Amino acid sequence: DVQLVESGGGAVQTGGSLKLSCAVSGYLYAQYCMGWSRQAPGGEREGIATITSDGTTRYRDSVKGRFTISRDNDKNILYLQMNNLTPEDTGVYYCAADPKKWLCSWFRTDFASWGQGTQVTVS
């Protein structure tokens, strides 16, 4: 089974930056799609970025140009670098994994494995 634990969240001012990490344990196939989703206060969880095993990335328009998703397969860590943050970025951020490669082409929330989330607050 795959387990994921997010870290790196916190409170920042508008225009600031944060880097989230997702530590992964268990076995992952090379074909696994990895992604980040977020849930704003009172809102629904939405996918914001995905990355394939070979490094192909995809971003929701609202974060494109500001966020960067990356992975270190040797260290089993998924990252999300967030720059030029705004209050609209506030929410709980979750990392996710799924063996179905096609999930990396969509911003879905039905991944097979999820972390518990880390809070990001921008004011």
Side-chain angles (χ1 to χ4, degrees), residues 3 5 9-10 15 21 24 26 33 45 49 72 74 78-79 82 89-90 102 112 122-123:
Q3 297 181 17
V5 180
S21 298
V24 182
C33 170
R45 187 178 300 188
D72 187 332
D74 292 331
L78 178 72
Y79 300 101
M82 305 184 294
D89 295 315
T90 293
W102 60 266
V122 186
S123 61

Side-chain angles (χ1 to χ4, degrees), residues 6-80:
E6 301 93 340
S7 63
V12 298
Q13 297 294 309
T14 298
S17 298
L18 281 175
K19 187 173 184 178
L20 306 183
S21 298
C22 174
V24 182
S25 62
Y27 296 97
L28 291 174
Y29 290 98
Q31 299 88 347
Y32 268 39
C33 170
M34 304 292 294
W36 286 96
S37 298
R38 68 184 181 186
Q39 185 169 8
E44 298 181 351
R45 187 178 300 188
E46 64 173 7
I48 57 174
T50 62
I51 183 169
T52 67
S53 60
D54 66 357
T56 300
T57 59
R58 187 179 182 89
Y59 301 93
R60 184 177 291 276
D61 287 343
S62 60
V63 307
K64 188 176 298 183
R66 300 187 298 120
F67 290 13
T68 301
I69 185 173
S70 62
R71 69 159 85 196
D72 187 332
N73 290 333
D74 292 331
K75 297 181 179 180
N76 296 323
I77 301 177
L78 178 72
Y79 300 101
L80 183 68

